[in-house]
Amino acid sequence: MMIVRSTVPILKEHGNAITLNFYDTMIKDVPELNNIFNRASQANGHQAGALAGALYAYASHIDDLGALSPTVEKICQKHASLYIQPEHYKVVGEYLLQAMGTVLGAALTPEILEAWGAAYWQLANIMINREAQLSDTAPNWTNWRDFQITNKFKESDEITSFYLQPLDNKPLPTFLPGQYTSIQTDVPSLNYLQCRHYSLSDAPNPSYYRISVKREAGVDPTNPDHVKHPGYVSNILHDAKNPGDVIKVSHPRGEFFYSPSGAADHPIVLLSAGIGITPMLSILNTHNASGSKQPVSFIHGARTTASRAFHRHAQYLADRHEHVKYTAFIKSPDTEKDVEGEHYHHRGRLSLGKLDREKELFVSDDSTQYFVCGPETFMTEVEKGLMEMGVEQSRIHMEMFGSGVMARS
């Protein structure tokens, strides 16, 4: 393993070139993998960058794999949601080592190649076994399942909710609020399927799941050449999928969640920005449905009131329940329409400094649990701010959307 560790400087310099070559070659040679890999993340380089970072982290911690456990668990949860199979690991391993050889040339000595082959399969077997365990928790749902869109509701200028019911009408398994499901649908402009993870945005219900999807601007699904920021699936859902249409859905997964059964009377603080509101809403609605009097502080930041979703719902719950506190930040209020105190509480980006440390953040209660979701810079700032207030990192739970896994100090 010392040989693998010695390649850290090489990966730092050439990691992105290796992963770009890896994806490009593998997808061309094995085109059916287009049905699994996110082509938007391929096009903007996010997936290659995430894999390069993962390789660097793996080589850096090859002697202490326990440090990578949270990252490995996050990836395994995603793989289980996409029904990745052991045979996929064989293909990935072959093309990854091939890409190393292509980029590094003579620098990839037989000894380094052999060491990386062994290291790859060490990690692959850990992940294969973990994903098998996850699959065993849902023995009656082992592949994509047909769901019908029964309702489509516009929540804001950017966000639309989709209510999904299984075609077989069998009761749905519960999930932990904060978790996500994956959907799979055809993308005509690409001529293959695409999968995306979407947080479940409501409390568990045996009859339906709800996802709330932000339109990722930049793609016109009727114009295949328009791929500046290719949010393929979100645009298709918004523009082309309607009640009565069928999409494929996977069993809920995810390591970011609030567990109602493990909750006592400790406060929970939900901090979100933008579309990061969706898992928080699931937590809030689950808490409300349980009848718990556990203090909840729901704090959300949005760019404008027009782009923000679920404001009235959150305000309704806060007005109805003394133990629920709702605080809304708007970065750019409409000076002609938006009234402070009615449509929002604070102007500007969500800032911990504008919040009451006790009534809204409960920082003096060392049992308070914090859940954070939004853009990476937002989550990094919130985590840093909470820790500066004396909150232990172990009580701060964060969810990152997309291809990456956020590094934590």
mmCIF file of all heavy atoms in Angstrom, residues 18 37-38 41 110 114 133 141 163 173 186 199 298 318 380:
data_model
loop_
_atom_site.group_PDB
_atom_site.id
_atom_site.type_symbol
_atom_site.label_atom_id
_atom_site.label_comp_id
_atom_site.label_asym_id
_atom_site.label_seq_id
_atom_site.Cartn_x
_atom_site.Cartn_y
_atom_site.Cartn_z
ATOM 1 N N ILE A 18 -6.816 11.890 -15.800
ATOM 2 C CA ILE A 18 -7.069 10.443 -15.769
ATOM 3 C C ILE A 18 -8.559 10.166 -15.797
ATOM 4 O O ILE A 18 -9.048 9.339 -16.580
ATOM 5 C CB ILE A 18 -6.422 9.809 -14.518
ATOM 6 C CG1 ILE A 18 -4.896 9.821 -14.647
ATOM 7 C CG2 ILE A 18 -6.932 8.381 -14.308
ATOM 8 C CD1 ILE A 18 -4.174 9.434 -13.374
ATOM 9 N N PHE A 37 -24.802 6.609 -16.077
ATOM 10 C CA PHE A 37 -24.036 7.800 -15.740
ATOM 11 C C PHE A 37 -24.786 9.076 -16.109
ATOM 12 O O PHE A 37 -25.456 9.149 -17.136
ATOM 13 C CB PHE A 37 -22.669 7.776 -16.428
ATOM 14 C CG PHE A 37 -21.711 6.784 -15.814
ATOM 15 C CD1 PHE A 37 -21.433 5.591 -16.457
ATOM 16 C CD2 PHE A 37 -21.113 7.047 -14.591
ATOM 17 C CE1 PHE A 37 -20.564 4.668 -15.890
ATOM 18 C CE2 PHE A 37 -20.235 6.131 -14.019
ATOM 19 C CZ PHE A 37 -19.965 4.947 -14.673
ATOM 20 N N ASN A 38 -24.623 10.079 -15.257
ATOM 21 C CA ASN A 38 -25.274 11.376 -15.426
ATOM 22 C C ASN A 38 -24.557 12.164 -16.515
ATOM 23 O O ASN A 38 -23.432 12.627 -16.331
ATOM 24 C CB ASN A 38 -25.215 12.119 -14.086
ATOM 25 C CG ASN A 38 -25.923 13.450 -14.107
ATOM 26 O OD1 ASN A 38 -25.951 14.138 -15.119
ATOM 27 N ND2 ASN A 38 -26.481 13.824 -12.972
ATOM 28 N N SER A 41 -23.530 15.798 -15.619
ATOM 29 C CA SER A 41 -22.298 15.869 -14.830
ATOM 30 C C SER A 41 -21.082 15.504 -15.659
ATOM 31 O O SER A 41 -19.968 15.944 -15.373
ATOM 32 C CB SER A 41 -22.401 14.943 -13.605
ATOM 33 O OG SER A 41 -23.372 15.418 -12.704
ATOM 34 N N PRO A 110 5.020 -1.255 -13.866
ATOM 35 C CA PRO A 110 4.274 -2.481 -13.557
ATOM 36 C C PRO A 110 3.963 -2.607 -12.063
ATOM 37 O O PRO A 110 2.892 -3.097 -11.692
ATOM 38 C CB PRO A 110 5.205 -3.587 -14.034
ATOM 39 C CG PRO A 110 5.999 -2.952 -15.133
ATOM 40 C CD PRO A 110 6.215 -1.526 -14.693
ATOM 41 N N GLU A 114 0.199 -2.814 -10.623
ATOM 42 C CA GLU A 114 -0.235 -3.954 -9.804
ATOM 43 C C GLU A 114 -0.779 -3.487 -8.459
ATOM 44 O O GLU A 114 -1.804 -3.988 -7.977
ATOM 45 C CB GLU A 114 0.940 -4.910 -9.595
ATOM 46 C CG GLU A 114 0.568 -6.150 -8.780
ATOM 47 C CD GLU A 114 1.744 -7.093 -8.579
ATOM 48 O OE1 GLU A 114 2.855 -6.785 -9.059
ATOM 49 O OE2 GLU A 114 1.552 -8.142 -7.924
ATOM 50 N N GLN A 133 -25.712 -5.493 1.217
ATOM 51 C CA GLN A 133 -26.435 -5.349 2.482
ATOM 52 C C GLN A 133 -27.632 -4.415 2.316
ATOM 53 O O GLN A 133 -28.730 -4.690 2.825
ATOM 54 C CB GLN A 133 -25.498 -4.801 3.557
ATOM 55 C CG GLN A 133 -24.420 -5.767 4.017
ATOM 56 C CD GLN A 133 -23.483 -5.124 5.022
ATOM 57 O OE1 GLN A 133 -23.428 -3.896 5.169
ATOM 58 N NE2 GLN A 133 -22.715 -5.950 5.718
ATOM 59 N N TRP A 141 -38.084 -5.112 -3.508
ATOM 60 C CA TRP A 141 -37.912 -3.988 -4.431
ATOM 61 C C TRP A 141 -36.447 -3.970 -4.863
ATOM 62 O O TRP A 141 -35.645 -3.225 -4.321
ATOM 63 C CB TRP A 141 -38.311 -2.687 -3.751
ATOM 64 C CG TRP A 141 -38.439 -1.507 -4.669
ATOM 65 C CD1 TRP A 141 -37.979 -1.377 -5.943
ATOM 66 C CD2 TRP A 141 -39.075 -0.248 -4.354
ATOM 67 N NE1 TRP A 141 -38.274 -0.145 -6.452
ATOM 68 C CE2 TRP A 141 -38.952 0.576 -5.503
ATOM 69 C CE3 TRP A 141 -39.723 0.244 -3.225
ATOM 70 C CZ2 TRP A 141 -39.463 1.870 -5.537
ATOM 71 C CZ3 TRP A 141 -40.221 1.531 -3.268
ATOM 72 C CH2 TRP A 141 -40.103 2.336 -4.411
ATOM 73 N N TYR A 163 -46.206 14.140 -7.603
ATOM 74 C CA TYR A 163 -46.733 13.091 -6.736
ATOM 75 C C TYR A 163 -46.700 11.780 -7.518
ATOM 76 O O TYR A 163 -47.249 11.693 -8.626
ATOM 77 C CB TYR A 163 -48.155 13.429 -6.296
ATOM 78 C CG TYR A 163 -48.218 14.609 -5.349
ATOM 79 C CD1 TYR A 163 -48.076 15.921 -5.817
ATOM 80 C CD2 TYR A 163 -48.407 14.418 -3.979
ATOM 81 C CE1 TYR A 163 -48.122 17.004 -4.955
ATOM 82 C CE2 TYR A 163 -48.462 15.510 -3.107
ATOM 83 C CZ TYR A 163 -48.318 16.784 -3.602
ATOM 84 O OH TYR A 163 -48.364 17.856 -2.728
ATOM 85 N N PRO A 173 -42.962 1.238 1.036
ATOM 86 C CA PRO A 173 -42.194 1.182 2.282
ATOM 87 C C PRO A 173 -41.930 2.586 2.799
ATOM 88 O O PRO A 173 -41.878 3.549 2.024
ATOM 89 C CB PRO A 173 -40.891 0.494 1.864
ATOM 90 C CG PRO A 173 -40.767 0.768 0.404
ATOM 91 C CD PRO A 173 -42.167 0.794 -0.127
ATOM 92 N N ASP A 186 -36.587 8.422 -20.001
ATOM 93 C CA ASP A 186 -35.920 8.565 -21.295
ATOM 94 C C ASP A 186 -35.631 10.039 -21.575
ATOM 95 O O ASP A 186 -36.367 10.924 -21.140
ATOM 96 C CB ASP A 186 -36.804 8.005 -22.413
ATOM 97 C CG ASP A 186 -38.134 8.743 -22.510
ATOM 98 O OD1 ASP A 186 -38.858 8.757 -21.494
ATOM 99 O OD2 ASP A 186 -38.441 9.305 -23.575
ATOM 100 N N SER A 199 -34.554 14.370 -3.490
ATOM 101 C CA SER A 199 -35.006 14.217 -2.115
ATOM 102 C C SER A 199 -36.518 14.049 -2.074
ATOM 103 O O SER A 199 -37.249 14.712 -2.818
ATOM 104 C CB SER A 199 -34.610 15.441 -1.283
ATOM 105 O OG SER A 199 -33.225 15.546 -1.151
ATOM 106 N N PHE A 298 -36.955 26.118 11.618
ATOM 107 C CA PHE A 298 -36.890 25.925 10.169
ATOM 108 C C PHE A 298 -36.408 27.237 9.557
ATOM 109 O O PHE A 298 -37.133 28.233 9.541
ATOM 110 C CB PHE A 298 -38.283 25.551 9.657
ATOM 111 C CG PHE A 298 -38.334 25.112 8.221
ATOM 112 C CD1 PHE A 298 -38.133 23.785 7.875
ATOM 113 C CD2 PHE A 298 -38.594 26.028 7.206
ATOM 114 C CE1 PHE A 298 -38.195 23.376 6.548
ATOM 115 C CE2 PHE A 298 -38.656 25.636 5.873
ATOM 116 C CZ PHE A 298 -38.451 24.296 5.542
ATOM 117 N N ALA A 318 -45.712 27.112 11.522
ATOM 118 C CA ALA A 318 -45.155 27.926 12.596
ATOM 119 C C ALA A 318 -46.251 28.692 13.333
ATOM 120 O O ALA A 318 -46.211 28.833 14.566
ATOM 121 C CB ALA A 318 -44.125 28.891 12.028
ATOM 122 N N THR A 380 -20.558 24.948 3.921
ATOM 123 C CA THR A 380 -19.252 25.146 4.555
ATOM 124 C C THR A 380 -19.296 26.324 5.516
ATOM 125 O O THR A 380 -18.782 26.259 6.642
ATOM 126 C CB THR A 380 -18.172 25.377 3.489
ATOM 127 O OG1 THR A 380 -18.110 24.243 2.621
ATOM 128 C CG2 THR A 380 -16.805 25.586 4.128
#
